[in-house]
Amino acid sequence: MSENRPDDVRRADSARGASAVPDPARDDVHPSGTTSGAGPTPGGEASGARGGLDRYFEITRRGSTMAREIRGGLTTFFTMAYIIVLNPIILTGVADMTGAQLPFAAVASTTALVAAVMTILMGVVGKFPMALAAGLGINAQVAAIAQFQLPWEQVMGLVVLEGVLITLLVVTGFRRAVFEAIPHQLKIAISVGIGLFLTFIGLKDAGFTQPHETGAPVLMGQFGELKGWPVLVFVIGVLLMAVLYVKRVRGSILIAIITATVLAIIIERIAKVGPHIGADGEIANATGWQLNVPALPDQVVAAPDLSIIGDVDLFGAFQASAIGAILIIFTLMLADFFDTMGTTVAVASEANLLKDDGKVDNLDRILVVDSLSAVAGGAASVSSNTTYIESTSGVADGARTGLASVVTGVMFLIAMFFAPLVNIVPSEAAAPALIIVGALMIMQVKELDLRDFTEVVPIFLTIALMPFTYSITNGIGAGFIAWVLLHVVTGKRREIHWLMWIVTVLFVIYFAIDPIRQLFS
């Protein structure tokens, strides 16, 4: 990256340091590697953007342009569009304790609708380049609760109440205070850990890594070998994206996703690879496409089914077991609370929107929108919605403002009606973006102070547990507990913010939730 660029358009060099790798998101960087000056030329694209949109979203002030925001918003959408298919797969794959199942088409359409509305709100209210959709991990937890404990309506009611509770914590200022009480070194560790987490998600979604029937948790491809056309598409996508990025090609991530998708469509047309999982939920082809089959659909437009919206029972779960309902709300709340905290830190760091003191502009608004998204997801019967770490892919491709979120949200609205067309993008074509973004985020590791073992252990646990337990919350929780414990035993209690004590106790309860549940059952 060039060192002579203006301060307001500098990327996260303060967090990652100056790098020999160029930033393809910069519109004022020419192939020669030089910059065109402190701002866009009069009469150019950015000059025309300095109207209402530019002032409202602070596009120029954040060193961006309309083109970069649109491109970044599109990249984020295509990187996370898989949720339109994956959320209904998870929620409709089981029947609740009464035998009822959610309809697939309705969950798919409503998933897109809630993601659209809340992501647009994040852009307009939070003015932050971060998208929201049904939370992975949380939706699986919701499905498990429905299968073994409560009917769908009551589970979704608890999700609504959990969202209301988090909203109250934002309104009272507690959630912001916790965010700002996190030690700076742990914030950096969270970003690095999320980078590894993203990488693992990308490798898994592409089928590059898979569990093995012998008990090995992870192996490369099938039986330690890369087999099948889909994995080849993924590998080509990663290499192409990396080349375009270092060559300063604008829109490198989006271009690579589209190119890999076209290649996948051609391969599927010729080789007839088919899906990895069949309609019966069993493995149909070990080397098939992981989620979406990239085949041109017979039907491009489909009317959305929104019949499940509002099908909730707010307090029915308390009649069965008040203690059980409270424990479910607590578990969901803690996961929502800290997943968003980690995602916000990561996106802000990547976009150079994280201040030197670790604060983020408009944080209260960002947290309010996120909290309300949990309410909206539960009320719409599609599980709690939360911020998506895939938003960093859009940031890597240029997004810096809430306008990118508006673009992503509009794409989700369009997807409600053009779901068959959107679903031709296979995860193998989108997953390379997660690998490249993971590589960008790992660059922050050099900012970590690894000389004091009191800091090293919490940092290491935060980074390691995110990918290894497939949870941002678990990594943050382990890091918090270790940080407080080691500071206590080394006589550094005065360095512990009082909120860190409270949060650490909550995390101890979170990790011990099963024996606590058994104690009150």
Side-chain angles (χ1 to χ4, degrees):
M1 297 182 186
S2 177
E3 288 301 311
N4 64 338
R5 55 191 169 176
D7 290 339
D8 61 341
V9 295
R10 188 176 299 140
R11 294 194 70 219
D13 289 352
S14 60
R16 293 196 302 262
S19 169
V21 180
D23 179 5
R26 284 292 310 276
D27 285 341
D28 61 341
V29 177
H30 297 295
S32 63
T34 59
T35 56
S36 59
T41 57
E45 174 192 34
S47 177
R50 288 175 182 170
L53 281 177
D54 185 272
R55 287 192 299 272
Y56 184 83
F57 289 108
E58 301 177 330
I59 297 173
T60 300
R61 191 180 75 81
R62 295 189 184 182
S64 189
T65 65
M66 291 282 286
R68 287 176 61 182
E69 296 306 306
I70 293 172
R71 189 174 67 222
L74 291 174
T75 298
T76 295
F77 171 75
F78 284 112
T79 306
M80 61 181 288
Y82 66 84
I83 194 61
I84 300 175
V85 175
L86 187 55
N87 194 47
I89 287 176
I90 292 173
L91 293 182
T92 66
V94 299
D96 69 12
M97 59 181 300
T98 68
Q101 285 185 286
L102 295 174
F104 190 98
V107 174
S109 297
T110 312
T111 295
L113 174 63
V114 177
V117 172
M118 300 316 300
T119 300
I120 290 173
L121 275 179
M122 179 61 76
V124 175
V125 177
K127 300 182 181 180
F128 198 65
M130 190 160 59
L132 302 95
L136 287 175
I138 295 177
N139 56 6
Q141 189 176 358
V142 165
I145 294 170
Q147 185 177 10
F148 298 109
Q149 299 182 51
L150 298 169
W152 285 114
E153 297 85 352
Q154 294 181 10
V155 178
M156 295 303 175
L158 294 182
V159 172
V160 172
L161 293 177
E162 172 256 329
V164 171
L165 183 57
I166 291 186
T167 303
L168 291 176
L169 293 178
V170 175
V171 173
T172 59
F174 181 80
R175 199 175 184 188
R176 180 189 184 98
V178 170
F179 184 94
E180 295 177 351
I182 302 174
H184 183 63
Q185 286 291 297
L186 283 186
K187 285 183 178 178
I188 298 174
I190 289 170
S191 293
V192 174
I194 288 176
L196 291 178
F197 182 48
L198 274 177
T199 302
F200 187 67
I201 292 174
L203 294 174
K204 181 190 72 68
D205 287 352
F208 192 91
T209 59
Q210 296 186 30
H212 192 256
E213 59 187 14
T214 60
V218 175
L219 284 178
M220 184 178 69
Q222 297 288 326
F223 304 102
E225 298 180 2
L226 296 180
K227 297 181 179 180
W229 290 105
V231 173
L232 178 63
V233 170
F234 167 72
V235 172
I236 292 175
V238 171
L239 296 177
L240 175 62
M241 198 173 292
V243 169
L244 293 177
Y245 197 94
V246 300
K247 294 292 289 183
R248 303 181 177 91
V249 175
R250 299 171 186 174
S252 55
I253 294 178
L254 183 58
I255 291 172
I257 291 175
I258 294 174
T259 303
T261 299
V262 172
L263 175 61
I265 292 172
I266 295 172
I267 288 174
E268 177 60 25
R269 183 77 174 179
I270 297 173
K272 308 292 183 184
V273 178
H276 177 65
I277 303 294
D280 58 356
E282 301 294 328
I283 295 179
N285 180 359
T287 60
W289 304 100
Q290 292 294 308
L291 289 177
N292 305 353
V293 176
L296 294 176
D298 297 327
Q299 182 182 3
V300 175
V301 180
D305 179 359
L306 306 176
S307 59
I308 59 175
I309 294 178
D311 194 8
V312 298
D313 181 355
L314 285 179
F315 302 106
F318 288 88
Q319 297 176 3
S321 172
I323 295 295
I326 291 172
L327 290 176
I328 290 172
I329 290 175
F330 174 79
T331 305
L332 294 174
M333 182 189 72
L334 214 61
D336 258 348
F337 192 105
F338 286 100
D339 271 6
T340 294
M341 191 167 294
T343 302
T344 303
V345 169
V347 172
S349 297
E350 181 64 24
N352 198 23
L353 299 176
L354 191 65
K355 298 180 179 178
D356 292 339
D357 58 4
K359 296 182 180 180
V360 177
D361 285 337
N362 299 321
L363 181 61
D364 287 334
R365 294 184 177 187
I366 293 169
L367 296 178
V368 165
V369 174
D370 172 72
S371 302
L372 292 177
S373 70
V375 177
S381 300
V382 293
S383 183
S384 176
N385 275 228
T386 188
T387 54
Y388 259 59
I389 192 60
E390 282 85 349
S391 304
T392 52
S393 65
V395 171
D397 219 5
R400 294 292 182 275
T401 76
L403 181 59
S405 296
V406 173
V407 172
T408 303
V410 170
M411 289 300 296
F412 270 114
L413 279 179
I414 295 173
M416 286 176 56
F417 301 92
F418 294 90
L421 190 61
V422 172
N423 289 339
I424 68 173
V425 180
S427 58
E428 289 82 358
L434 303 183
I435 308 300
I436 298 303
V437 173
L440 290 172
M441 297 181 70
I442 201 69
M443 294 170 70
Q444 298 181 48
V445 72
K446 64 184 178 58
E447 300 298 322
L448 293 171
D449 184 0
L450 303 177
R451 296 169 295 178
D452 183 356
F453 204 66
T454 304
E455 303 282 347
V456 169
V457 173
I459 287 171
F460 174 73
L461 290 176
T462 300
I463 294 173
L465 263 62
M466 286 187 189
F468 292 153
T469 66
Y470 211 71
S471 168
I472 294 173
T473 300
N474 289 347
I476 294 175
F480 277 28
I481 293 173
W483 194 87
V484 169
L485 174 63
L486 295 181
H487 277 68
V488 168
V489 299
T490 54
K492 300 178 181 178
R493 294 187 183 184
R494 292 186 177 181
E495 297 181 17
I496 305 174
H497 194 285
W498 66 271
L499 281 174
M500 287 293 290
W501 285 103
I502 295 177
V503 173
T504 298
V505 171
L506 292 176
F507 269 121
V508 170
I509 297 173
Y510 171 78
F511 285 120
I513 197 71
D514 184 62
I516 293 174
R517 186 185 296 115
Q518 294 182 31
L519 183 65
F520 288 99
S521 62

